Amino acid sequence: MAAAKILTLLIACASGAPAHEAVRFNETLEQARSQSKSILLDFHAPWCYSCYYMKTEVLATPEFSQAVKELLVLAIDVDTPEGAALKERFKVRFLPTYVVLDARGNESGRISGEQRKEDFIARLHTLAYAPAADPVQKLSSLLDSGDLKKASRLRDISSNSKAARDPRWQRASARLDLLTAVEARDPLKTSAALTALASSQTDCAFAYDCFKAQELLTQTVGQRHALTAARTALESVLAASVFVAPADRCADIRSAIEATADIYTALGLQDEHDALLKRTAAMLWQDVERDGVGKRRNTDDNLRYFLEILKDETGLDRLYPELISKYPQDYVYAYRYAKNLLERKHLDAALKIVLPARDHAYGENALNASLLHAKILDALGRHDEARAILEKTITDNGKNFPKTIAHLNVYLEESRKIKTD
């Protein structure tokens, strides 16, 4: 597949046009077998803020085009029924996720989340062209896929190898200890593992491990020392890789901010929590005002996200119309603004905004947009219209997305009760 064709496929699928991913996957697998080529599966969604970054900062670059010239690249929109099924098949937990398969369809490894271009391409090259050459990459990929048993076996057989003396291996090994302890629901081992990891890993990826450990630790008395160690490490990450010049920031600042804010909450530091979120929003406003909305979608969406958390209605009323204007074919901003307006009881405005969201949504998101439309109509007292929308949506979608359809059915019954009370 030519590089230009690969990029066209990626961009077309990321723009919102549904595609039959299951059919394309089977065809790509057959092509890989016949041509002895590896496959790169790009799992993404139109609402995924990390996918925005990867699409513009990595996938659209000449360096990426060069890196995948010997691969078959398949973009998979998880909001389509077929894409959702493939997401379950490959146990994709985060978006974006990039899964590398060998010519026989076996997984060589995966990369999850936002990555700087150089880091992503280096990891991709190892997984696609030399999967056995770097055991550190293999161990990291197994951790990203959640296969802790294989990761443990790899660590055991490599314990006396040269790789075991690599600092990167030691950090990956510390991650394995943490994830294993969390899976076992062992707060003492989780606390020890998080403390150890905090002393050795000071990049933005540390936030992901904090998320995994925090729930267990905050439910357990006497684990403040581990949370305090995590706080110190995260604050170092913020100083070195978030509150710096845009070019020096890590790819995913949102997770680093969220993890730190969550630790503040767990430690009872509400003033620090609030100050961090306000400082983040102020930094992002500066970026958006300098570049303009539409220049960097990842920055735009990060600002929206933190304004939502801060419940900054003035900022949201300023930003959302610009987002909808700059991304007119995307349902997501109209949907989110309509939802926000509904929560604020601005019902007429919410009804006006939800209509373009319904026009552009597809797959599971179309069901959610219909549900939101019905909720707004119910809030306006237009119960017959709300019920009609729900009934048609449920009928039209048949067996697709059964969990979401079940949720619509529950709400439909509630709507009927409102009508008859």
Side-chain angles (χ1 to χ4, degrees), residues 156-168:
D156 289 344
I157 65 175
S158 304
S159 59
N160 295 319
S161 68
K162 179 180 178 181
R165 297 188 293 275
D166 188 327
R168 297 177 303 140

Side-chain angles (χ1 to χ4, degrees), residues 70-358:
E70 298 299 328
L71 304 180
L72 302 177
V73 181
L74 182 63
I76 299 172
D77 184 343
V78 302
D79 280 353
T80 65
E82 298 88 353
L86 287 169
K87 177 175 177 284
E88 289 299 315
R89 174 175 173 175
F90 285 95
K91 296 181 175 60
V92 171
R93 295 175 173 84
F94 308 100
L95 292 180
T97 286
Y98 304 91
V99 179
V100 178
L101 307 179
D102 64 21
R104 297 184 300 276
N106 299 316
E107 182 173 336
S108 301
R110 64 181 62 192
I111 308 169
S112 297
E114 292 168 80
Q115 307 280 326
R116 290 184 178 180
K117 178 178 65 178
E118 294 77 9
D119 297 336
F120 178 84
I121 290 175
R123 291 186 64 184
L124 174 62
H125 191 276
T126 297
L127 294 175
Y129 301 114
D134 189 346
V136 177
Q137 295 282 20
K138 184 65 175 178
L139 181 59
S140 297
S141 294
L142 289 170
L143 295 177
D144 288 341
S145 67
D147 197 334
L148 303 186
K149 290 183 179 180
K150 284 186 179 179
S152 295
R153 287 198 294 269
L154 176 61
R155 182 171 66 177
D156 289 344
I157 65 175
S158 304
S159 59
N160 295 319
S161 68
K162 179 180 178 181
R165 297 188 293 275
D166 188 327
R168 297 177 303 140
W169 176 275
Q170 293 164 10
R171 286 194 293 273
S173 180
R175 285 190 66 212
L176 174 57
D177 289 337
L178 176 66
L179 298 177
T180 302
V182 171
E183 185 178 74
R185 307 300 292 173
D186 187 325
L188 293 178
K189 288 185 178 179
T190 298
S191 177
L194 183 62
T195 301
L197 190 60
S199 67
S200 64
Q201 183 174 340
T202 55
D203 58 18
C204 285
F206 179 60
Y208 307 139
D209 299 310
C210 286
F211 286 135
K212 296 181 178 71
Q214 185 190 337
E215 179 184 1
L216 180 60
L217 295 182
T218 53
Q219 295 172 354
T220 308
V221 177
Q223 303 304 326
R224 288 181 63 89
H225 65 282
L227 296 175
T228 300
R231 171 195 173 183
T232 300
L234 285 166
E235 287 177 341
S236 296
V237 171
L238 298 186
S241 303
V242 174
F243 294 112
V244 292
D248 298 326
R249 292 177 196 158
C250 58
D252 180 9
I253 68 165
R254 186 187 298 187
S255 293
I257 296 293
E258 276 192 286
T260 309
D262 288 349
I263 293 289
Y264 286 151
T265 297
L267 293 172
L269 304 173
Q270 193 60 41
D271 288 345
E272 286 84 347
H273 171 279
D274 296 346
L276 174 61
L277 296 183
K278 290 177 182 177
R279 182 183 180 191
T280 302
M283 176 185 73
L284 293 169
W285 266 126
Q286 288 183 341
D287 293 344
V288 169
E289 288 173 345
R290 180 187 63 248
D291 298 331
V293 175
K295 176 69 172 180
R296 295 189 180 278
R297 186 162 182 175
N298 201 49
T299 301
D300 298 341
D301 198 69
N302 279 334
L303 176 57
R304 174 211 54 89
Y305 179 78
F306 287 108
L307 293 177
E308 292 273 12
I309 294 177
L310 289 166
K311 300 187 185 301
D312 184 344
E313 296 181 2
T314 300
L316 290 169
D317 288 338
R318 173 185 167 190
L319 181 65
Y320 262 126
E322 292 193 60
L323 292 173
I324 294 169
S325 174
K326 291 294 183 180
Y327 307 104
Q329 300 303 312
D330 192 337
Y331 87 96
V332 68
Y333 293 122
Y335 174 84
R336 284 173 169 154
Y337 193 29
K339 184 177 180 181
N340 177 268
L341 291 169
L342 172 61
E343 292 169 354
R344 291 158 54 189
K345 309 299 182 186
H346 299 324
L347 302 181
D348 290 333
L351 182 60
K352 180 180 179 181
I353 294 295
V354 80
L355 296 178
R358 286 201 63 190

